[in-house]
Amino acid sequence: MDDAHRLNVADLQVHVLRYPVEHPVRTSFGVMHDRPAVFVRVEDRDGAHGWGEVWCNFPACGAEHRSRLVDTVLRPLLVGRAYAAPAEAYAHLSAATAVLAIQAGEPGPMAQAIAGVDVALWDLCARRAGRPLWAFLGGTDDRVAVYASGINPDDPEQVVSRKRQEGYRAFKLKLGFGQERDLVNLRRVRALLGPGVPLMADANQGWDASVAATMAQAMAELDIAWLEEPLRADRPLAEWQALAHQSPVPLAAGENCLGADAFRTAIDGAFLRVVQPDLAKWGGISGVLPVARAIRAAGLRYCPHYLGAGVGLMASAHVLAAVDDAGNHGLLEIDANDNPLRTLLSGPLAQLRDGVARLGQAPGIGIEPDLPALRASCA
């Protein structure tokens, strides 16, 4: 690695914010009554800094817990050390906490905390180099295609219509609220959109194999672009492969894969058409970037999962732009629900032209969190 990647970490700060929502976000397994965010700021000895974000949607107390992991476990390991590159820091943090994660029964939360720190380190390096992250990672085009996600089962047509007016050209509906209701909602949204407009469905691990197969068959007439997490992520590989063989709808998953080996199984297992790592949940950029390239090399779609605040969303957008050949293959997930912790930090993604955003030339992830303003938005 060249000098642009070198690190000598001087400080790490972590910030928890919560936005109380008027309309809760519903999934098949739980409801979000507020929108939490855990932001990580890392500063190098030369004064350069970067921002990352830790996944913390569930359980409701998760944000404070992940924040404490960053502050009490990762900060002492990181501050004062020199690294040749962010990937070396990622490997060090992962190795140093591996036994602790097992002992505490918390491999997921520990991976999430490390992922947020890793994103901050990459942002720091790109900012210091004066380059947008997508270019720093080797990309040649700043365009990303997007879709509106997190569309709840109550009056989904209203949300889809609003997002369509904002420039979105692809949409994903939440399922898992009863087979009849799910299908009625899908039919109504398809009728609203007309043929040819990408419409996806997300069951959030809500079904067993029998229900998933039945629902997939019922969706055949609706031209669904993908069916996401119809089964629990921990179901046996053979069960996923059997469903993929039966399903007329392409399957998608990946947000709940933990580790490079899990993604290799998902890529090689021939049951997914769309693979969806979440860089704030596992891997950061050091882990997800090689996975994204492997997804593309296998001829599959890399469509990053993201349903958090703006720092992680912008990082996800830059990684997609870095690997996606001018934005003509993958789709970036953008939550359709109210959340200023996202919208105040994702300016370039608000300017859509036919479902495509341009990330621009600003250094790093392209945004600088104004913490007082963000806290005021949550009051």
Side-chain angles (χ1 to χ4, degrees):
M1 287 291 181
D2 56 30
D3 287 344
H5 291 81
R6 295 190 181 280
L7 296 159
N8 196 322
V9 181
D11 194 21
L12 182 156
Q13 300 173 358
V14 60
H15 307 274
V16 177
L17 298 93
R18 286 185 178 274
Y19 172 67
V21 296
E22 181 178 354
H23 302 291
V25 179
R26 301 178 61 191
T27 72
S28 62
F29 61 84
V31 178
M32 297 176 67
H33 294 281
D34 62 22
R35 303 307 301 271
V38 176
F39 295 143
V40 178
R41 185 184 188 276
V42 176
E43 186 169 338
D44 204 59
R45 193 168 63 179
D46 61 11
H49 74 279
W51 288 90
E53 183 176 343
V54 179
W55 185 93
C56 62
N57 289 345
F58 295 98
C61 62
E64 289 75 15
H65 172 243
R66 272 64 163 190
S67 171
R68 293 293 289 157
L69 288 179
V70 172
D71 192 45
T72 65
V73 178
L74 301 185
R75 188 179 189 279
L77 292 170
L78 191 74
V79 172
R81 288 189 63 110
Y83 301 96
E88 183 178 289
Y90 176 80
H92 168 233
L93 294 178
S94 298
T97 59
V99 173
L100 176 62
I102 296 170
Q103 184 69 25
E106 293 197 317
M110 194 65 71
Q112 293 151 20
I114 294 171
V117 172
D118 181 81
V119 169
L121 295 176
W122 278 100
D123 182 43
L124 184 159
C125 290
R127 286 177 192 263
R128 184 172 56 199
R131 303 179 69 194
L133 183 59
W134 61 265
F136 191 75
L137 297 175
T140 59
D141 195 297
D142 71 338
R143 289 176 291 173
V144 288
V146 308
Y147 71 94
S149 177
I151 300 173
N152 289 331
D154 301 319
D155 298 319
E157 304 101 310
Q158 181 179 1
V159 177
V160 169
S161 295
R162 184 176 75 250
K163 290 298 172 181
R164 201 175 193 181
Q165 292 176 353
E166 294 174 9
Y168 286 85
R169 298 294 181 264
F171 309 87
K172 187 171 76 182
L173 184 62
K174 291 283 189 184
L175 305 186
F177 304 98
Q179 296 178 52
E180 182 177 353
R181 186 182 189 188
D182 289 343
L183 290 172
V184 166
N185 280 338
L186 283 173
R187 290 181 182 123
R188 287 176 175 171
V189 172
R190 172 51 75 202
L192 172 67
L193 294 175
V197 178
L199 174 62
M200 292 77 77
D202 185 358
N204 285 124
Q205 308 183 81
W207 301 327
D208 62 20
S210 176
V211 172
T214 298
M215 290 295 287
Q217 290 294 332
M219 291 180 202
E221 62 180 296
L222 298 173
D223 187 24
I224 302 301
W226 74 65
L227 173 57
E228 187 170 329
E229 288 199 321
L231 303 173
R232 273 179 33 179
D234 64 351
R235 295 306 300 163
L237 175 61
E239 194 170 303
W240 277 93
Q241 290 172 324
L243 177 61
H245 181 72
Q246 301 171 56
S247 176
V249 181
L251 302 186
E255 68 182 88
N256 290 306
C257 287
L258 181 61
D261 289 344
F263 279 105
R264 175 50 57 191
T265 297
I267 293 168
D268 292 344
F271 61 94
L272 295 180
R273 297 283 296 281
V274 182
V275 189
Q276 304 167 299
D278 187 322
L279 57 68
K281 200 168 191 181
W282 171 82
I285 294 171
S286 294
V288 166
L289 185 62
V291 166
R293 288 171 173 157
I295 293 166
R296 294 300 311 280
L300 305 175
R301 296 185 76 182
Y302 165 57
C303 296
H305 175 270
Y306 206 76
L307 211 73
V311 171
L313 176 61
M314 289 301 297
S316 300
H318 281 262
V319 173
L320 179 60
V323 303
D324 202 41
D325 299 336
N328 59 8
H329 186 80
L331 288 172
L332 176 71
E333 179 172 25
I334 302 182
D335 183 10
N337 295 284
D338 179 36
N339 184 3
L341 299 177
R342 179 190 73 254
T343 54
L344 292 176
L345 294 172
S346 54
L349 300 177
Q351 307 299 318
L352 301 180
R353 177 173 292 184
D354 289 330
V356 175
R358 304 206 70 149
L359 300 179
Q361 299 295 324
I365 59 173
I367 52 99
E368 180 68 29
D370 182 339
L371 293 176
L374 291 170
R375 295 191 190 283
S377 75
C378 297

